[in-house]
DNA sequence: GCGACTTTGTGCATCGCTTCACAAGTGCGT
DNA sequence: ACGCACTTGTGAAGCGATGCACAAAGTCGC
Protein backbone atom coordinates (compact mmCIF):
# COMPACT_ATOMS: atom_id res chain seq x y z
CA UNK A 1 0.00 0.00 0.00
CA UNK A 2 2.90 2.26 0.67
CA UNK A 3 4.15 1.25 -2.73
CA UNK A 4 0.84 2.36 -4.19
CA UNK A 5 1.31 5.76 -2.64
CA UNK A 6 4.79 6.03 -4.13
CA UNK A 7 3.39 5.02 -7.49
CA UNK A 8 1.11 8.04 -7.50
CA UNK A 9 3.10 10.68 -5.70
CA UNK A 10 6.74 11.71 -5.88
CA UNK A 11 8.25 9.67 -8.68
CA UNK A 12 11.09 11.93 -9.86
CA UNK A 13 10.61 13.30 -13.38
CA UNK A 14 13.95 11.88 -14.42
CA UNK A 15 12.78 8.40 -13.40
CA UNK A 16 9.45 8.74 -15.20
CA UNK A 17 11.26 9.70 -18.38
CA UNK A 18 13.25 6.46 -18.22
CA UNK A 19 10.36 4.10 -17.48
CA UNK A 20 9.30 3.88 -21.15
CA UNK A 21 12.84 2.83 -22.05
CA UNK A 22 12.77 0.05 -19.48
CA UNK A 23 9.41 -1.03 -20.86
CA UNK A 24 10.85 -1.18 -24.37
CA UNK A 25 13.77 -3.26 -23.19
CA UNK A 26 11.48 -5.62 -21.27
CA UNK A 27 9.19 -6.08 -24.29
CA UNK A 28 12.21 -6.87 -26.41
CA UNK A 29 13.42 -9.44 -23.86
CA UNK A 30 9.98 -11.02 -23.63
CA UNK A 31 9.86 -11.42 -27.42
CA UNK A 32 13.11 -13.34 -27.23
CA UNK A 33 11.54 -15.68 -24.69
CA UNK A 34 13.51 -14.41 -21.70
CA UNK A 35 11.43 -14.65 -18.53
CA UNK A 36 13.85 -13.45 -15.87
CA UNK A 37 16.37 -10.66 -15.82
CA UNK A 38 18.80 -9.10 -13.34
CA UNK A 39 19.12 -5.35 -12.83
CA UNK A 40 22.56 -5.56 -14.41
CA UNK A 41 21.26 -7.16 -17.61
CA UNK A 42 18.21 -4.94 -17.90
CA UNK A 43 20.29 -1.84 -17.24
CA UNK A 44 22.65 -2.83 -20.05
CA UNK A 45 19.71 -3.35 -22.41
CA UNK A 46 18.30 0.06 -21.47
CA UNK A 47 21.63 1.85 -21.60
CA UNK A 48 21.76 2.99 -17.97
CA UNK A 49 23.68 2.01 -14.84
CA UNK A 50 22.28 -0.80 -12.73
CA UNK A 51 22.20 1.41 -9.63
CA UNK A 52 20.08 3.95 -11.43
CA UNK A 53 17.74 1.28 -12.70
CA UNK A 54 17.22 -0.21 -9.25
CA UNK A 55 16.63 3.22 -7.71
CA UNK A 56 14.10 4.02 -10.44
CA UNK A 57 12.25 0.75 -9.93
CA UNK A 58 12.27 1.18 -6.16
CA UNK A 59 9.99 4.18 -6.63
CA UNK A 60 7.32 1.91 -8.06
CA UNK A 61 7.52 -0.69 -5.32
CA UNK A 62 9.50 -3.82 -4.58
CA UNK A 63 8.91 -6.16 -7.47
CA UNK A 64 12.27 -7.93 -7.62
CA UNK A 65 13.57 -10.96 -5.75
CA UNK A 66 16.94 -10.68 -4.05
CA UNK A 67 19.46 -13.14 -5.38
CA UNK A 68 17.32 -13.77 -8.47
CA UNK A 69 16.27 -10.61 -10.27
CA UNK A 70 13.02 -9.53 -11.89
CA UNK A 71 10.34 -11.51 -13.68
CA UNK A 72 10.08 -9.86 -17.11
CA UNK A 73 6.29 -10.04 -17.54
CA UNK A 74 5.57 -8.92 -14.00
CA UNK A 75 7.90 -5.95 -14.16
CA UNK A 76 6.55 -4.90 -17.57
CA UNK A 77 3.05 -4.98 -16.10
CA UNK A 78 4.02 -2.93 -13.06
CA UNK A 79 5.73 -0.28 -15.18
CA UNK A 80 2.74 -0.18 -17.52
CA UNK A 81 0.49 0.34 -14.53
CA UNK A 82 2.66 3.10 -13.13
CA UNK A 83 2.66 4.88 -16.50
CA UNK A 84 -1.11 4.50 -16.81
CA UNK A 85 -0.99 2.24 -19.85
CA UNK A 86 -3.52 -0.25 -18.56
CA UNK A 87 -6.17 1.91 -20.15
CA UNK A 88 -6.26 3.15 -23.74
CA UNK A 89 -5.68 6.87 -24.19
CA UNK A 90 -7.57 8.60 -26.99
CA UNK A 91 -5.22 10.70 -29.13
CA UNK A 92 -5.91 13.21 -31.89
CA UNK A 93 -3.38 14.37 -34.48
CA UNK A 94 -3.72 17.92 -35.75
CA UNK A 95 -2.06 18.98 -39.00
CA UNK A 96 -2.05 16.67 -42.03
CA UNK A 97 1.17 17.76 -43.70
CA UNK A 98 3.98 15.32 -44.41
CA UNK A 99 4.69 14.74 -40.75
CA UNK A 100 1.05 14.49 -39.68
CA UNK A 101 0.35 11.85 -42.31
CA UNK A 102 3.44 9.88 -41.30
CA UNK A 103 2.33 9.99 -37.66
CA UNK A 104 -1.21 8.95 -38.55
CA UNK A 105 0.16 5.95 -40.41
CA UNK A 106 2.60 5.05 -37.63
CA UNK A 107 1.70 1.70 -36.13
CA UNK A 108 3.54 2.29 -32.88
CA UNK A 109 0.55 4.03 -31.34
CA UNK A 110 -1.90 1.17 -31.21
CA UNK A 111 0.65 -1.36 -29.96
CA UNK A 112 1.01 0.35 -26.61
CA UNK A 113 -2.13 1.83 -25.17
CA UNK A 114 -2.75 4.71 -27.53
CA UNK A 115 -5.69 5.02 -29.85
CA UNK A 116 -5.83 7.59 -32.63
CA UNK A 117 -9.50 8.59 -32.51
CA UNK A 118 -9.22 11.38 -35.06
CA UNK A 119 -7.00 13.38 -37.38
CA UNK A 120 -7.78 17.05 -37.98
CA UNK A 121 -6.68 19.92 -40.15
CA UNK A 122 -7.40 23.59 -40.41
CA UNK A 123 -7.40 23.55 -44.21
CA UNK A 124 -10.96 23.14 -45.62
CA UNK A 125 -9.63 21.54 -48.80
CA UNK A 126 -8.04 18.71 -46.84
CA UNK A 127 -10.99 18.10 -44.52
CA UNK A 128 -12.90 15.07 -45.70
CA UNK A 129 -10.00 13.34 -47.41
CA UNK A 130 -8.90 10.03 -45.93
CA UNK A 131 -5.55 9.56 -44.18
CA UNK A 132 -4.66 6.15 -42.77
CA UNK A 133 -8.28 5.00 -42.41
CA UNK A 134 -9.37 8.29 -40.84
CA UNK A 135 -11.47 10.92 -42.54
CA UNK A 136 -9.79 14.27 -41.82
CA UNK A 137 -12.05 16.35 -39.59
CA UNK A 138 -12.29 20.12 -39.14
CA UNK A 139 -10.88 21.91 -36.07
CA UNK A 140 -14.40 22.69 -34.89
CA UNK A 141 -14.83 19.01 -34.04
CA UNK A 142 -12.44 19.30 -31.08
CA UNK A 143 -15.10 19.97 -28.45
CA UNK A 144 -17.13 17.00 -29.65
CA UNK A 145 -14.06 14.77 -29.53
CA UNK A 146 -13.27 15.72 -25.95
CA UNK A 147 -16.88 15.22 -24.88
CA UNK A 148 -17.77 12.07 -26.78
CA UNK A 149 -14.44 10.30 -27.29
CA UNK A 150 -12.81 11.45 -24.04
CA UNK A 151 -9.93 12.86 -26.05
CA UNK A 152 -7.04 13.35 -23.60
CA UNK A 153 -3.91 13.91 -25.68
CA UNK A 154 -3.39 16.23 -28.64
CA UNK A 155 -0.50 15.86 -31.08
CA UNK A 156 0.43 19.05 -32.92
CA UNK A 157 1.99 18.40 -36.34
CA UNK A 158 1.36 21.80 -37.92
CA UNK A 159 3.87 24.43 -39.08
CA UNK A 160 5.30 26.58 -36.29
CA UNK A 161 3.14 29.62 -36.99
CA UNK A 162 -0.11 27.69 -36.49
CA UNK A 163 1.02 25.72 -33.45
CA UNK A 164 0.11 28.26 -30.77
CA UNK A 165 -3.37 28.70 -32.23
CA UNK A 166 -3.91 24.95 -32.27
CA UNK A 167 -2.63 24.69 -28.70
CA UNK A 168 -5.07 27.38 -27.59
CA UNK A 169 -7.96 25.49 -29.20
CA UNK A 170 -6.88 22.21 -27.58
CA UNK A 171 -6.69 23.84 -24.16
CA UNK A 172 -10.04 25.57 -24.67
CA UNK A 173 -11.59 22.21 -25.55
CA UNK A 174 -10.24 20.71 -22.32
CA UNK A 175 -7.16 18.81 -23.48
CA UNK A 176 -4.42 18.99 -20.85
CA UNK A 177 -1.66 16.89 -22.46
CA UNK A 178 0.02 18.05 -25.66
CA UNK A 179 2.78 16.55 -27.76
CA UNK A 180 4.27 19.32 -29.91
CA UNK A 181 6.21 18.53 -33.10
CA UNK A 182 6.29 22.14 -34.26
CA UNK A 183 9.60 23.96 -33.77
CA UNK A 184 8.31 26.60 -31.36
CA UNK A 185 7.59 27.19 -27.68
CA UNK A 186 3.96 26.89 -26.64
CA UNK A 187 2.38 29.13 -24.03
CA UNK A 188 -0.17 27.16 -22.03
CA UNK A 189 -1.73 27.26 -18.52
CA UNK A 190 0.17 25.65 -15.64
CA UNK A 191 -2.02 22.56 -15.46
CA UNK A 192 -1.32 21.63 -19.08
CA UNK A 193 1.66 19.36 -19.76
CA UNK A 194 3.52 19.91 -23.02
CA UNK A 195 6.28 17.67 -24.39
CA UNK A 196 8.24 18.93 -27.36
CA UNK A 197 9.75 16.81 -30.10
CA UNK A 198 11.90 18.72 -32.55
CA UNK A 199 14.43 17.20 -34.91
CA UNK A 200 16.06 20.56 -35.65
CA UNK A 201 16.84 20.96 -31.97
CA UNK A 202 18.30 17.48 -31.78
CA UNK A 203 20.41 18.00 -34.89
CA UNK A 204 21.76 21.23 -33.46
CA UNK A 205 22.79 19.47 -30.27
CA UNK A 206 24.58 16.86 -32.38
CA UNK A 207 26.25 19.66 -34.36
CA UNK A 208 27.55 21.12 -31.11
CA UNK A 209 29.24 17.87 -30.13
CA UNK A 210 30.51 17.33 -33.67
CA UNK A 211 32.06 20.80 -33.68
CA UNK A 212 33.54 20.38 -30.22
CA UNK A 213 35.23 17.21 -31.40
CA UNK A 214 36.92 18.88 -34.34
CA UNK A 215 37.89 21.77 -32.08
CA UNK A 216 39.68 19.48 -29.66
CA UNK A 217 42.41 18.76 -32.16
CA UNK A 218 44.01 22.20 -32.00
CA UNK A 219 43.19 22.72 -28.34
CA UNK A 220 46.69 21.78 -27.23
CA UNK A 221 48.17 24.49 -29.41
CA UNK A 222 46.05 27.25 -27.89
CA UNK A 223 45.67 26.56 -24.19
CA UNK A 224 49.24 26.46 -23.08
CA UNK A 225 48.46 28.78 -20.21
CA UNK A 226 45.99 26.35 -18.66
CA UNK B 1 39.69 34.80 -25.43
CA UNK B 2 38.63 33.30 -22.14
CA UNK B 3 35.12 33.29 -23.57
CA UNK B 4 36.38 31.28 -26.48
CA UNK B 5 37.72 28.68 -24.11
CA UNK B 6 34.36 28.51 -22.37
CA UNK B 7 32.67 28.13 -25.73
CA UNK B 8 34.61 24.95 -26.41
CA UNK B 9 34.98 23.36 -23.01
CA UNK B 10 32.58 22.92 -20.15
CA UNK B 11 29.24 24.17 -21.38
CA UNK B 12 26.81 22.10 -19.28
CA UNK B 13 24.75 19.62 -21.30
CA UNK B 14 21.57 21.11 -19.91
CA UNK B 15 22.57 24.51 -21.27
CA UNK B 16 23.51 23.15 -24.70
CA UNK B 17 20.10 21.50 -24.95
CA UNK B 18 18.43 24.88 -24.44
CA UNK B 19 20.53 26.91 -26.87
CA UNK B 20 18.49 25.79 -29.90
CA UNK B 21 15.34 27.01 -28.15
CA UNK B 22 16.88 30.41 -27.57
CA UNK B 23 17.92 30.50 -31.20
CA UNK B 24 14.35 29.74 -32.28
CA UNK B 25 13.00 32.50 -30.08
CA UNK B 26 15.58 34.97 -31.38
CA UNK B 27 14.79 34.11 -34.99
CA UNK B 28 11.12 34.63 -34.29
CA UNK B 29 11.84 38.01 -32.69
CA UNK B 30 14.05 39.06 -35.60
CA UNK B 31 11.26 38.22 -38.07
CA UNK B 32 8.99 40.57 -36.17
CA UNK B 33 11.55 43.32 -36.55
CA UNK B 34 12.66 43.37 -32.92
CA UNK B 35 16.34 44.29 -32.65
CA UNK B 36 16.89 44.38 -28.89
CA UNK B 37 15.65 42.16 -26.10
CA UNK B 38 16.12 41.83 -22.34
CA UNK B 39 16.84 38.53 -20.62
CA UNK B 40 13.38 38.72 -19.07
CA UNK B 41 11.64 39.03 -22.45
CA UNK B 42 13.74 36.40 -24.18
CA UNK B 43 13.32 34.02 -21.27
CA UNK B 44 9.54 34.40 -21.51
CA UNK B 45 9.66 33.70 -25.24
CA UNK B 46 11.76 30.60 -24.66
CA UNK B 47 9.74 29.36 -21.70
CA UNK B 48 12.50 29.46 -19.09
CA UNK B 49 13.42 31.65 -16.12
CA UNK B 50 15.49 34.76 -16.79
CA UNK B 51 18.16 33.65 -14.32
CA UNK B 52 18.59 30.37 -16.14
CA UNK B 53 18.80 32.14 -19.46
CA UNK B 54 21.47 34.54 -18.26
CA UNK B 55 23.51 31.74 -16.71
CA UNK B 56 23.28 29.75 -19.95
CA UNK B 57 24.39 32.70 -22.04
CA UNK B 58 27.20 33.49 -19.64
CA UNK B 59 28.79 30.18 -20.63
CA UNK B 60 29.17 31.48 -24.19
CA UNK B 61 30.70 34.80 -23.23
CA UNK B 62 29.49 38.26 -22.34
CA UNK B 63 27.39 39.45 -25.24
CA UNK B 64 24.82 41.57 -23.43
CA UNK B 65 24.90 45.20 -22.32
CA UNK B 66 23.99 45.96 -18.70
CA UNK B 67 21.02 48.24 -18.41
CA UNK B 68 20.03 47.54 -22.02
CA UNK B 69 19.83 43.85 -22.87
CA UNK B 70 20.94 41.86 -25.90
CA UNK B 71 21.08 42.72 -29.57
CA UNK B 72 18.96 40.06 -31.27
CA UNK B 73 21.11 39.51 -34.38
CA UNK B 74 24.36 39.48 -32.47
CA UNK B 75 23.14 36.98 -29.89
CA UNK B 76 21.66 34.73 -32.58
CA UNK B 77 25.03 34.74 -34.32
CA UNK B 78 26.95 33.94 -31.14
CA UNK B 79 24.64 31.03 -30.30
CA UNK B 80 24.89 29.74 -33.87
CA UNK B 81 28.66 29.88 -33.59
CA UNK B 82 28.67 28.05 -30.26
CA UNK B 83 26.43 25.33 -31.71
CA UNK B 84 28.64 25.03 -34.78
CA UNK B 85 25.97 26.17 -37.22
CA UNK B 86 28.22 28.55 -39.15
CA UNK B 87 29.12 25.62 -41.35
CA UNK B 88 26.69 23.28 -43.12
CA UNK B 89 26.55 19.77 -41.75
CA UNK B 90 26.01 16.94 -44.25
CA UNK B 91 23.20 14.63 -43.12
CA UNK B 92 21.99 11.29 -44.44
CA UNK B 93 18.59 9.76 -43.73
CA UNK B 94 18.41 5.98 -43.58
CA UNK B 95 15.08 4.20 -43.94
CA UNK B 96 12.50 5.37 -46.48
CA UNK B 97 9.30 4.29 -44.75
CA UNK B 98 6.55 6.77 -43.89
CA UNK B 99 8.70 8.61 -41.37
CA UNK B 100 11.84 8.63 -43.51
CA UNK B 101 9.97 10.14 -46.45
CA UNK B 102 8.40 12.77 -44.21
CA UNK B 103 11.83 13.68 -42.83
CA UNK B 104 13.35 13.83 -46.31
CA UNK B 105 10.62 16.25 -47.37
CA UNK B 106 10.93 18.36 -44.24
CA UNK B 107 12.13 21.83 -45.13
CA UNK B 108 13.39 22.65 -41.65
CA UNK B 109 16.76 21.05 -42.35
CA UNK B 110 18.11 23.41 -44.96
CA UNK B 111 16.99 26.54 -43.12
CA UNK B 112 19.20 25.80 -40.15
CA UNK B 113 22.58 24.70 -41.38
CA UNK B 114 21.83 21.11 -42.28
CA UNK B 115 22.12 19.64 -45.73
CA UNK B 116 20.55 16.31 -46.65
CA UNK B 117 23.20 14.87 -48.95
CA UNK B 118 21.57 11.46 -49.37
CA UNK B 119 18.69 9.19 -48.45
CA UNK B 120 19.31 5.46 -48.16
CA UNK B 121 17.41 2.23 -47.72
CA UNK B 122 18.26 -1.39 -47.19
CA UNK B 123 15.46 -2.59 -49.47
CA UNK B 124 16.70 -3.17 -53.05
CA UNK B 125 13.24 -2.54 -54.49
CA UNK B 126 13.20 0.98 -53.07
CA UNK B 127 16.77 1.86 -54.06
CA UNK B 128 16.72 4.01 -57.18
CA UNK B 129 13.28 5.52 -56.63
CA UNK B 130 13.16 9.26 -56.01
CA UNK B 131 12.15 10.75 -52.66
CA UNK B 132 12.09 14.54 -52.29
CA UNK B 133 14.57 15.17 -55.12
CA UNK B 134 16.94 12.46 -53.90
CA UNK B 135 17.49 9.13 -55.58
CA UNK B 136 17.39 6.50 -52.83
CA UNK B 137 20.83 4.94 -52.50
CA UNK B 138 21.90 1.53 -51.18
CA UNK B 139 23.47 1.06 -47.75
CA UNK B 140 26.79 0.19 -49.38
CA UNK B 141 27.15 3.85 -50.39
CA UNK B 142 27.81 4.89 -46.79
CA UNK B 143 31.59 4.71 -46.97
CA UNK B 144 31.61 6.80 -50.13
CA UNK B 145 29.33 9.39 -48.54
CA UNK B 146 31.60 9.78 -45.54
CA UNK B 147 34.68 10.04 -47.71
CA UNK B 148 33.40 12.23 -50.52
CA UNK B 149 30.56 14.22 -48.95
CA UNK B 150 32.06 14.45 -45.44
CA UNK B 151 28.88 12.91 -44.06
CA UNK B 152 28.87 13.67 -40.31
CA UNK B 153 25.35 12.95 -39.06
CA UNK B 154 23.17 9.90 -39.68
CA UNK B 155 19.41 9.90 -39.12
CA UNK B 156 17.93 6.46 -38.48
CA UNK B 157 14.28 6.20 -39.56
CA UNK B 158 14.03 2.43 -39.86
CA UNK B 159 11.93 -0.03 -37.84
CA UNK B 160 13.37 -0.92 -34.43
CA UNK B 161 14.73 -4.31 -35.46
CA UNK B 162 16.95 -2.84 -38.18
CA UNK B 163 18.14 0.16 -36.20
CA UNK B 164 21.10 -1.49 -34.45
CA UNK B 165 22.36 -2.90 -37.72
CA UNK B 166 22.14 0.52 -39.38
CA UNK B 167 23.89 2.11 -36.40
CA UNK B 168 26.73 -0.42 -36.67
CA UNK B 169 27.15 0.38 -40.37
CA UNK B 170 27.14 4.13 -39.68
CA UNK B 171 29.79 3.75 -36.99
CA UNK B 172 31.87 1.47 -39.19
CA UNK B 173 31.75 4.08 -41.95
CA UNK B 174 33.02 6.72 -39.52
CA UNK B 175 29.84 8.59 -38.55
CA UNK B 176 30.01 9.69 -34.93
CA UNK B 177 26.69 11.55 -34.54
CA UNK B 178 23.39 9.68 -34.81
CA UNK B 179 19.80 10.82 -34.50
CA UNK B 180 17.66 7.77 -33.78
CA UNK B 181 13.92 7.78 -34.49
CA UNK B 182 13.54 4.03 -33.94
CA UNK B 183 11.99 2.99 -30.61
CA UNK B 184 15.01 1.12 -29.29
CA UNK B 185 18.28 1.64 -27.45
CA UNK B 186 21.40 1.72 -29.61
CA UNK B 187 24.69 0.23 -28.50
CA UNK B 188 27.57 2.33 -29.84
CA UNK B 189 31.19 3.13 -28.88
CA UNK B 190 31.82 5.84 -26.29
CA UNK B 191 32.94 8.46 -28.79
CA UNK B 192 29.67 8.27 -30.74
CA UNK B 193 26.86 10.61 -29.68
CA UNK B 194 23.31 9.33 -30.05
CA UNK B 195 20.17 11.40 -29.57
CA UNK B 196 16.88 9.55 -29.46
CA UNK B 197 13.54 10.88 -30.65
CA UNK B 198 10.61 8.62 -29.87
CA UNK B 199 6.98 9.66 -29.90
CA UNK B 200 5.86 6.54 -28.04
CA UNK B 201 8.13 7.45 -25.15
CA UNK B 202 6.78 11.00 -25.09
CA UNK B 203 3.19 9.82 -25.20
CA UNK B 204 3.84 7.45 -22.31
CA UNK B 205 5.25 10.29 -20.24
CA UNK B 206 2.12 12.31 -21.03
CA UNK B 207 -0.01 9.31 -20.06
CA UNK B 208 1.74 9.17 -16.69
CA UNK B 209 0.85 12.79 -15.92
CA UNK B 210 -2.67 12.34 -17.26
CA UNK B 211 -3.18 9.32 -15.00
CA UNK B 212 -1.67 11.05 -11.99
CA UNK B 213 -4.12 13.88 -12.45
CA UNK B 214 -7.15 11.61 -12.42
CA UNK B 215 -5.66 9.72 -9.46
CA UNK B 216 -5.44 12.89 -7.39
CA UNK B 217 -9.21 13.11 -7.11
CA UNK B 218 -9.60 10.12 -4.78
CA UNK B 219 -6.30 10.72 -3.04
CA UNK B 220 -7.97 12.38 -0.07
CA UNK B 221 -10.04 9.26 0.54
CA UNK B 222 -7.05 6.97 0.75
CA UNK B 223 -4.22 8.83 2.45
CA UNK B 224 -5.81 9.67 5.76
CA UNK B 225 -2.83 8.21 7.58
CA UNK B 226 -0.39 10.61 5.99
C1' DG C 1 19.07 -27.71 7.38
C1' DC C 2 23.06 -24.87 6.66
C1' DG C 3 26.55 -22.22 4.62
C1' DA C 4 28.18 -20.05 0.39
C1' DC C 5 26.73 -17.25 -3.22
C1' DT C 6 23.90 -13.98 -5.70
C1' DT C 7 21.23 -9.83 -6.29
C1' DT C 8 18.01 -6.46 -4.60
C1' DG C 9 16.79 -2.23 -2.11
C1' DT C 10 18.59 1.79 0.13
C1' DG C 11 21.22 5.18 3.23
C1' DC C 12 24.82 8.33 2.28
C1' DA C 13 28.15 11.09 -0.08
C1' DT C 14 28.68 13.52 -4.27
C1' DC C 15 27.85 16.02 -8.25
C1' DG C 16 25.64 19.21 -11.31
C1' DC C 17 21.94 22.15 -12.22
C1' DT C 18 18.76 25.73 -10.67
C1' DT C 19 17.47 29.69 -8.08
C1' DC C 20 18.47 33.64 -5.42
C1' DA C 21 20.31 38.01 -4.58
C1' DC C 22 23.25 41.63 -5.50
C1' DA C 23 27.44 44.16 -7.11
C1' DA C 24 29.00 46.01 -11.38
C1' DG C 25 28.16 48.41 -15.45
C1' DT C 26 25.34 51.28 -18.76
C1' DG C 27 22.09 54.87 -20.51
C1' DC C 28 19.24 58.84 -19.59
C1' DG C 29 17.42 62.93 -17.71
C1' DT C 30 18.50 66.99 -15.59
C1' DA D 1 28.75 66.27 -14.38
C1' DC D 2 25.96 63.51 -11.60
C1' DG D 3 22.62 60.60 -9.72
C1' DC D 4 18.80 57.47 -10.90
C1' DA D 5 16.72 53.63 -13.07
C1' DC D 6 17.56 49.53 -15.29
C1' DT D 7 19.70 45.04 -16.59
C1' DT D 8 23.52 41.95 -16.91
C1' DG D 9 26.79 38.63 -15.04
C1' DT D 10 27.96 35.81 -11.13
C1' DG D 11 29.14 34.04 -6.33
C1' DA D 12 26.67 31.35 -3.11
C1' DA D 13 22.96 28.70 -1.38
C1' DG D 14 19.54 25.16 -2.33
C1' DC D 15 17.81 21.10 -4.47
C1' DG D 16 17.36 17.01 -6.97
C1' DA D 17 19.63 13.28 -9.33
C1' DT D 18 23.52 10.04 -9.55
C1' DG D 19 26.90 6.69 -7.95
C1' DC D 20 28.72 3.97 -4.18
C1' DA D 21 28.74 0.48 -0.92
C1' DC D 22 26.59 -2.70 1.89
C1' DA D 23 23.02 -4.93 4.79
C1' DA D 24 19.00 -7.61 3.96
C1' DA D 25 16.93 -11.38 1.72
C1' DG D 26 16.59 -14.81 -1.20
C1' DT D 27 18.47 -19.42 -3.94
C1' DC D 28 21.24 -23.44 -4.63
C1' DG D 29 24.25 -27.28 -3.54
C1' DC D 30 25.32 -30.54 -0.36
Amino acid sequence: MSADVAARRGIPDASVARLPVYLQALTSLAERGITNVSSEELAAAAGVSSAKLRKDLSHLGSYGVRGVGYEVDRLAFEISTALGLTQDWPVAIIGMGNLGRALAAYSGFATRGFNVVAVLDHDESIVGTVVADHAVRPMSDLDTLVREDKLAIGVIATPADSAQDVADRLVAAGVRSILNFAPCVLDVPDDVVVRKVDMSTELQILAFHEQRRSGELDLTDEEVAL
Side-chain angles (χ1 to χ4, degrees), chain A residues 132-145:
Chain A
D133 290 343
H134 290 278
V136 179
R137 300 170 66 167
M139 293 299 293
S140 53
D141 276 19
L142 268 184
D143 295 281
T144 311
L145 284 165

Side-chain angles (χ1 to χ4, degrees), chain A residues 19 22 42 53-61 70 75 79:
Chain A
L19 292 181
Y22 302 154
L42 182 55
L53 172 70
R54 288 200 301 276
K55 180 91 62 179
D56 285 342
L57 295 183
S58 76
H59 290 121
L60 308 183
Y70 302 89
L75 189 54
I79 293 177

Side-chain angles (χ1 to χ4, degrees), chain A residues 16-205:
Chain A
V16 174
R18 282 187 294 267
L19 292 181
V21 181
Y22 302 154
L23 195 52
Q24 260 171 25
L26 286 167
T27 305
S28 169
L29 290 172
E31 281 170 2
R32 278 182 275 159
I34 298 170
T35 59
N36 285 83
V37 71
S38 70
S39 65
E40 202 71 49
E41 293 163 337
L42 182 55
V48 300
S49 73
S50 63
K52 198 187 285 187
L53 172 70
R54 288 200 301 276
K55 180 91 62 179
D56 285 342
L57 295 183
S58 76
H59 290 121
L60 308 183
S62 188
Y63 302 120
V65 179
R66 293 172 195 235
V68 178
Y70 302 89
E71 191 193 343
V72 172
D73 288 345
R74 173 77 194 287
L75 189 54
F77 172 76
E78 295 296 345
I79 293 177
S80 294
T81 304
L83 285 173
L85 304 179
T86 48
Q87 55 185 298
D88 259 35
W89 294 99
V91 174
I93 303 173
I94 299 102
M96 284 299 112
N98 280 315
L99 180 59
R101 279 195 287 270
L103 292 178
Y106 180 56
S107 58
F109 285 108
T111 58
R112 252 313 172 196
F114 297 97
N115 181 24
V116 178
V117 294
V119 302
L120 301 86
D121 201 292
H122 171 259
D123 188 345
E124 292 294 332
S125 67
I126 295 179
V127 172
T129 61
V130 175
V131 172
D133 290 343
H134 290 278
V136 179
R137 300 170 66 167
M139 293 299 293
S140 53
D141 276 19
L142 268 184
D143 295 281
T144 311
L145 284 165
V146 171
R147 215 176 324 113
E148 296 182 2
D149 296 275
K150 303 278 178 257
L151 174 62
I153 301 175
V155 177
I156 299 181
T158 66
D161 46 21
S162 316
Q164 183 61 57
D165 182 54
V166 171
D168 291 342
R169 283 163 174 265
L170 282 169
V171 170
V175 174
R176 284 175 301 180
S177 294
I178 295 176
L179 181 52
N180 180 30
F181 281 88
C184 65
V185 177
L186 295 181
D187 184 33
V188 296
D190 287 345
D191 66 330
V192 176
V193 179
V194 176
R195 305 269 320 170
K196 184 184 165 189
V197 175
D198 179 10
M199 65 201 78
S200 294
T201 297
E202 300 300 326
L203 283 175
Q204 287 172 7
I205 295 170

